[in-house]
Amino acid sequence: MIVGAGFGGLEAARNLGHEAVDITVIDRSNHHVFQPLLYQVAGAALDISQIAWPIRHLLSRWSQVAVLMAEACGIDSVAKAVLLTDGSRIPYDTLIIATGATHAYFGHDEWARYAPGLKTLGDALSIRQHLLTVFEQAEREADAARRQVLQTIVVVGGGATGVELACTIAELAHDDMPDDFRRVDTRKARIVVVEAASRLLAGFPESLAAYVRQAMEHLGITVLLEHAVTECRAEGVVCNDHLIEAGAIFWAAGVRASPAAEWLHASADKAGRVKVRHDLSVPEHPEIFVIGDTALLEQQDGKPVPGLAAAAKQQGRYVARLIKARLRAQPPPSEFRYRNYGNLATVGKHNAVVDFGRLRLHGWFAWMIWAIVHIYFLIGARNRVMVALNWLWLYVKGERAARIILSRKS
């Protein structure tokens, strides 16, 4: 039983697909999303069909893999069953939990209504809808001061998601839309990134973080460091006892793991990640594995394995190898070790930073590496071609084809 069809869950299912076992994959959605590119859907650069694919189609070649669109709400580890929200129970012999993470508002969940986060396809579409709508509202606004407020977009959080989202919004407003409007000048849109820490991109070297800040300011983005948010409300964001009035607020400041730790009554950290053994199993439950953003595993340097797609895929492959060894009564593989192949982040449509350890790059060449890596990881040749063509068109012509607002009557 695999709960969750993200990067880790799919990787485990594929690597077990040829074994003589019955595999059931449960996910509350019918699609898998390439999360690293969600911000490009939110920024109207890509359409949803280019970063999302039906789970059934992705696993259709393995006849022993069944897919259920259902939502898990608990685990009966004594009876070995997954509990679903419709009241049904699905038994398992071996369980892999790969349920990911959601937004964390640091104890202020009421802020979610004013500052949506970016974790799902629905989130991306909602952000895009809100983003485009505020410019439409600004076009109809006669008062200049109110028009500027509507064109103020605040992104809370200076990690990779916050940086990439802010940059794509800035380019959309400053470069791609000015000719579309008559009363409002979208080049005057103010994009503000608010970060509580003293620097951006905590997972990157200081030199690259400094470069990113300069690149963002070059795009016209205001970066406010050491500005902890104390309130989100309809009028805007309060930080350092100052209200930043805004037409839209987007949240990229933190994540919280799925409630798997509560289901299992297992030890967890403050973010809700299950503390797993070095083979990714749950203490006292060798038949249950937790992988991806839901798992907490410290590396040899004492730092936790990062919540990245590459880490989740490695964990999915590792657990599949371990299960294969058990099925064949062979010795298990040595403990899981995360291999860090580098960190990448974009700073606009032709700029990026790449950290490969000793090799650190920024600029256009780094963006080419970023683009190649992301296209390589996209599922299916058609999607790779379509995304590559979209990026080429955006790079050459500066046009985004996904600027569609859906009304309730559409």
Side-chain angles (χ1 to χ4, degrees), residues 120-302:
T120 68
L121 203 56
D123 294 337
L125 292 174
S126 177
I127 287 175
R128 187 175 78 187
Q129 188 95 344
H130 190 179
L131 179 63
L132 296 175
T133 299
V134 294
F135 287 104
E136 295 293 341
Q137 293 172 337
E139 176 76 354
R140 295 166 45 206
E141 179 58 58
D143 182 74
R146 178 59 186 163
R147 191 183 307 142
Q148 187 57 51
V149 169
L150 286 169
Q151 289 192 94
T152 300
I153 315 296
V154 176
V155 177
V156 182
T161 299
V163 167
E164 292 177 331
L165 180 60
C167 289
T168 196
I169 291 173
E171 290 182 331
L172 172 68
H174 299 162
D175 300 336
D176 301 338
M177 294 199 306
D179 293 339
D180 294 356
F181 294 87
R182 298 296 176 263
R183 297 186 62 183
V184 62
D185 184 356
T186 63
R187 289 169 295 192
K188 295 181 179 179
R190 184 184 181 213
I191 318 301
V192 183
V193 172
V194 177
E195 169 57 47
S198 60
R199 51 163 293 186
L200 300 170
L201 297 176
F204 285 74
E206 181 69 44
S207 59
L208 290 182
Y211 172 82
V212 167
R213 181 178 182 179
Q214 292 178 354
M216 293 176 71
E217 291 173 344
H218 181 72
L219 289 174
I221 299 171
T222 301
V223 179
L224 300 178
L225 301 178
E226 298 182 320
H227 277 62
V229 172
T230 55
E231 186 179 1
C232 292
R233 58 196 196 205
E235 296 82 10
V237 170
V238 178
C239 52
N240 290 13
D241 298 322
H242 173 68
L243 172 64
I244 303 175
E245 293 185 289
I249 310 166
F250 303 126
W251 189 267
V255 296
R256 179 180 63 222
S258 72
E262 299 174 17
W263 300 344
L264 297 168
H265 305 288
S267 297
D269 67 354
K270 293 181 179 179
R273 296 177 295 180
V274 178
K275 296 180 180 179
V276 296
R277 301 168 64 91
H278 285 283
D279 64 355
L280 300 172
S281 67
V282 177
E284 301 181 6
H285 289 284
E287 77 284 1
I288 301 178
F289 300 92
V290 182
I291 62 176
D293 291 346
T294 316
L296 174 65
L297 175 63
E298 290 187 355
Q299 305 174 80
Q300 290 182 321
D301 59 4

Side-chain angles (χ1 to χ4, degrees), residues 30 36 50 55-56 97 142 195 229 256 311 360 387 409:
N30 79 327
Q50 292 161 351
I55 299 168
R56 294 183 183 279
I97 300 176
E195 169 57 47
V229 172
R256 179 180 63 222
R360 300 170 183 175
V387 170
K409 297 181 180 180

